[in-house]
Amino acid sequence: MTYDNEDTMTSGARKSVSALFDDRAEAQRAVERLRTSGISEDHIRMVEGPAGGATAQRSPE
């Protein structure tokens, strides 16, 4: 999940916060907390990894 915010009132700089979660439910709860704190849905992105949470591993050579 990533939250992006452009600070146009002071410096015009872009600010981002990224987080990793163990499962989708945990990430969804974080998204809901961001929404209820007033952050626009347009500024929140959630990107899921592979199904089942598996990651590719390279075999030792």
Side-chain angles (χ1 to χ4, degrees):
M1 175 189 66
T2 303
Y3 160 68
D4 292 321
N5 184 30
E6 191 169 324
D7 186 2
T8 56
M9 297 299 286
T10 56
S11 65
R14 211 173 174 157
K15 298 177 182 178
S16 295
V17 175
S18 298
L20 301 174
F21 299 93
D22 291 329
D23 58 55
R24 188 181 202 293
E26 189 179 342
Q28 191 61 45
R29 285 190 297 273
V31 168
E32 289 303 319
R33 285 193 303 269
L34 289 171
R35 287 182 187 145
T36 58
S37 69
I39 295 172
S40 168
E41 192 169 330
D42 294 342
H43 292 255
I44 302 170
R45 276 191 311 273
M46 189 165 83
V47 179
E48 295 185 55
T55 57
Q57 292 184 341
R58 195 172 127 187
S59 300
E61 295 177 19

